[in-house]
Amino acid sequence: MWCETDVTVRPIVSSVVSTKILSLTPYEELFALWQKSSMQRRETTVDAYWKNLKQFAQLVRYKPLLELTRKDIVMYRDALLEQGYSVTTTINKVSIIRRLFEAAIDYELMDDNPAQNIKTLNKPTIKQRVAFDAQDLHRIFNSPVYSEKLLPRGGGYEAAYWLPLLALYTGARVEELAQLLVRDVRFVNGLGHYLNITDEAAHAKLKNPSSRRRIPVHPVLLACGFIDYVAKGEPDRLLFPHLKPNPRGKLAGYFSTWFSLWLRNTLKITDPRKVFHSFRHTFKDCCRQMGIEEAVHDALTGHTNSSAGRKYGNEQYPLQPLFEAMMHFDVAGIDLSHLFVKPLIKRRVATDQQIVSAFYGLVAAFSTNIPQHVETPTLLLQYQGHELMMNIETSETVYGQLPTNKQLLANAWVEIHREELLANWHMGRDTGDYFKIEPLR
């Protein structure tokens, strides 16, 4: 049974509203059937629809559903505008009523939809959110949060540092990042680390099914020490443990409030269209500028593509093209080298290398596209995100590093198989094919 204290809403005052309160039972039934039509709606969506339906029912004096006409919907629209609701909000509220009535038709509570094709003032064409420009990004990443590592409590301490960086180089939504567990940062041999965006954990919620995805960790994030930060946490703990959920259960709720105030008051980025979500717009713009295929950057950001052919096959987009795209991704006009704690390495992807041996977690591989003019024989060694290029003849490091114990194992293996490795390298440079070499035992 309906209770006036169940939901608090802003009432609409209208001369046509009677003070007599009639039964709301048909509207309750409508709402229950709408809920039944899909059990995957978010709690905030359900709450918004419930409040909207009550508001509408009050205005039309709880008129029987079968007696509702277009005039009732127009009256509702006009009353909303009179009460000071924005055009955008009014459009959304009328749309909610229309969708609820669609459910009513499906369950034969109504014969037609009086909310269909209700005209409202043109929706504002001003873009609600825009990308950050290079000057904005310079202000953000040269602020004391980064230059002095002044990590505010309101920003969730470490979250204030990492969430903007992650958003810039992944295009992920703030809540997707905030709810990551340590174990959601995964590693695959031959490719590298990636974020596993999922709603498998009890606390995790995603916007839609296409939001489940895998996003490679960009080399800039690796150079900034992101994996070192991840390594400090327990697998089943939140990656950003100082983020606390707001009353609506959003882990990024309080962070978003802090970020907005920080953006406006401290950094003086005052354009209201520039918010945390602007990182996502920046990422998409950069993908287009770098010529990354639309299907690939849609897969990276979790956007639904309308192409029917792309709906077939495994729901997870293959990792290899995602890593290839991330190797090409760059943000023009921004230098983050002052944040690097290790060398920036643009990693080769699996298509550029051929594994010749693997032992104790180490992977040894040769490049498959060595130019003929290159005379120095080199070997690529990888271990859980660490990478080292070694001169085979001298065992000297060309670039990169491995953990000390793995470096010793690699040196021992190269010492044992140096002649084979040299012969393999010279042959492969000519043929593009390499033979396997006995691992260290």
Side-chain angles (χ1 to χ4, degrees):
M1 182 62 65
W2 174 264
C3 176
E4 285 292 326
T5 59
D6 284 350
V7 180
T8 302
V9 295
R10 177 164 59 158
I12 296 178
V13 180
S14 174
S15 59
V16 299
V17 178
S18 170
T19 57
K20 182 179 179 182
I21 304 298
L22 304 178
S23 171
L24 196 65
T25 301
Y27 291 89
E28 289 180 311
E29 182 182 3
L30 164 58
F31 187 75
L33 291 172
W34 171 79
Q35 281 188 290
K36 181 181 177 182
S37 67
S38 175
M39 304 303 291
Q40 297 181 343
R41 296 187 179 97
R42 291 182 292 176
E43 185 178 344
T44 52
T45 300
V46 173
D47 185 50
Y49 272 58
W50 182 229
K51 290 178 180 179
N52 210 79
L53 182 60
K54 179 188 175 182
Q55 196 176 45
F56 174 79
Q58 288 175 333
L59 178 66
V60 298
R61 299 185 298 173
Y62 314 104
K63 190 174 184 178
L65 294 174
L66 287 171
E67 296 179 15
L68 291 171
T69 67
R70 286 178 59 83
K71 287 185 178 180
D72 296 311
I73 312 302
V74 171
M75 179 178 64
Y76 176 58
R77 178 202 66 188
D78 293 346
L80 289 169
L81 293 170
E82 288 173 10
Q83 288 294 306
Y85 286 93
S86 69
V87 172
T88 299
T89 300
T90 299
I91 291 172
N92 290 338
K93 283 179 168 288
V94 172
S95 296
I96 286 174
I97 297 301
R98 186 189 73 248
R99 287 190 283 269
L100 286 166
F101 287 171
E102 287 170 357
I105 293 172
D106 290 341
Y107 288 98
E108 299 183 350
L109 293 181
M110 300 176 72
D111 296 326
D112 53 34
N113 192 339
Q116 196 71 36
N117 299 321
I118 295 295
K119 302 294 183 183
T120 308
L121 296 175
N122 290 333
K123 194 171 182 178
T125 56
I126 299 175
K127 195 171 183 179
Q128 293 184 348
R129 293 163 179 164
V130 296
F132 288 122
D133 58 33
Q135 185 178 9
D136 298 328
L137 296 175
H138 179 81
R139 288 186 187 181
I140 291 169
F141 295 112
N142 285 274
S143 69
V145 169
Y146 293 93
S147 62
E148 302 174 35
K149 288 208 171 179
L150 296 179
L151 307 180
R153 178 182 178 185
Y157 297 112
E158 295 89 349
Y161 187 93
W162 287 111
L163 288 184
L165 278 171
L166 286 168
L168 179 62
Y169 283 96
T170 66
R173 302 175 180 93
V174 63
E175 189 67 19
E176 293 173 341
L177 297 172
Q179 65 191 18
L180 284 171
L181 299 175
V182 172
R183 60 178 163 85
D184 290 327
V185 183
R186 301 184 179 181
F187 179 80
V188 58
N189 278 329
L191 291 175
H193 287 91
Y194 66 91
L195 305 183
N196 188 45
I197 306 294
T198 178
D199 54 359
E200 293 173 358
H203 71 281
K205 293 180 175 61
L206 296 177
K207 184 176 181 180
N208 49 49
S210 66
S211 297
R212 300 186 192 101
R213 63 196 189 279
R214 298 172 293 183
I215 311 174
V217 177
H218 193 275
V220 166
L221 296 173
L222 298 175
C224 288
F226 177 62
I227 299 304
D228 295 334
Y229 169 75
V230 174
K232 297 175 184 177
E234 297 293 328
D236 292 324
R237 300 291 296 275
L238 286 170
L239 187 56
F240 303 107
H242 292 107
L243 292 178
K244 305 301 179 186
N246 67 4
R248 298 175 66 186
K250 298 290 186 181
L251 277 168
Y254 292 127
F255 168 86
S256 296
T257 300
W258 167 81
F259 184 84
S260 295
L261 293 172
W262 180 63
L263 208 64
R264 306 286 180 251
N265 300 337
T266 303
L267 303 184
K268 306 302 180 184
I269 299 175
T270 56
D271 187 337
R273 298 171 301 167
K274 293 180 178 179
V275 294
F276 190 90
H277 202 75
S278 295
F279 286 118
R280 188 166 167 85
H281 287 265
T282 304
F283 182 86
K284 292 291 282 188
D285 285 350
C286 290
C287 283
R288 297 183 183 106
Q289 291 166 8
M290 301 305 297
I292 295 173
E293 185 183 351
E294 182 182 9
V296 176
H297 65 72
D298 279 349
L300 288 168
T301 55
H303 281 128
T304 303
N305 193 291
S306 59
S307 171
R310 289 173 184 156
K311 296 177 183 177
Y312 288 84
N314 193 301
E315 67 173 14
Q316 290 275 32
Y317 203 90
L319 274 173
Q320 187 166 300
L322 298 180
F323 272 87
E324 290 173 352
M326 201 59 88
M327 292 306 103
H328 290 95
F329 179 85
D330 195 17
V331 183
I334 181 70
D335 179 10
L336 297 181
S337 59
H338 60 291
L339 305 181
F340 294 173
V341 296
K342 56 181 62 179
L344 175 64
I345 300 173
K346 290 281 188 176
R347 300 182 184 280
R348 291 177 172 83
V349 294
T351 52
D352 296 328
Q353 59 189 248
Q354 186 172 326
I355 296 173
V356 294
S357 192
F359 50 91
Y360 300 110
L362 278 164
V363 174
F366 283 122
S367 173
T368 57
N369 53 2
I370 303 172
Q372 286 296 316
H373 67 272
V374 174
E375 297 294 337
T376 304
T378 55
L379 175 72
L380 185 66
L381 294 151
Q382 298 172 321
Y383 175 77
Q384 294 188 1
H386 299 275
E387 182 174 275
L388 180 143
M389 180 71 77
M390 180 185 289
N391 183 321
I392 301 172
E393 293 178 328
T394 64
S395 293
E396 293 178 347
T397 297
V398 178
Y399 71 78
Q401 63 181 15
L402 295 173
T404 302
N405 61 330
K406 299 301 177 182
Q407 177 80 64
L408 293 173
L409 291 173
N411 289 343
W413 180 75
V414 170
E415 185 69 30
I416 294 170
H417 298 284
R418 195 183 308 277
E419 295 303 319
E420 288 177 88
L421 287 166
L422 288 170
N424 207 357
W425 185 86
H426 285 287
M427 181 190 74
R429 186 178 62 165
D430 296 331
T431 65
D433 195 21
Y434 300 91
F435 58 81
K436 298 291 184 181
I437 296 179
E438 188 76 13
L440 189 66
R441 300 187 187 280

